[in-house]
Amino acid sequence: MSIFSKRLAVLFLLAASAAANSQIEKPALRVPHANAAIIDGKLREEEWKSALKQTLVGGGELHLQHDGEFLYIGIESGKPGWAHV
């Protein structure tokens, strides 16, 4: 094994070890439990009042909730039309 190959192997092991040991914490979202939302293209305040709401880049709002079986996702666009969702 050449010196180059040995150095490459050591660098690879160091990189693999660093990657294995690094703990990247990802933020978690707590999605609230709620009654099932009606899937009809409308975001009624009464249905989504307990949803987690996140502002979207470029305008609009994301709504998240679950009923224990399904995750419900509602998106309010900042501008009209599908192209802006």
Side-chain angles (χ1 to χ4, degrees):
M1 184 180 265
S2 71
I3 292 176
F4 176 75
S5 296
K6 288 180 183 177
R7 287 183 181 170
L8 186 60
V10 169
L11 286 174
F12 177 77
L13 288 174
L14 287 173
S17 175
N21 290 329
S22 68
Q23 296 292 325
I24 300 173
E25 292 192 27
K26 297 178 182 175
L29 296 175
R30 294 197 185 271
V31 177
H33 187 274
N35 291 328
I38 297 171
I39 310 300
D40 61 359
K42 299 176 184 174
L43 295 177
R44 292 180 185 86
E45 182 59 34
E46 186 61 30
E47 289 178 321
W48 295 90
K49 66 182 175 189
S50 63
L52 172 68
K53 296 174 178 81
Q54 296 287 312
T55 302
L56 299 173
V57 175
E61 196 168 49
L62 173 70
H63 304 256
L64 298 172
Q65 65 186 30
H66 74 92
D67 66 358
E69 187 175 0
F70 297 104
L71 173 65
Y72 295 93
I73 302 170
I75 300 173
E76 283 186 86
S77 177
K79 298 177 184 177
W82 281 103
H84 298 285
V85 175

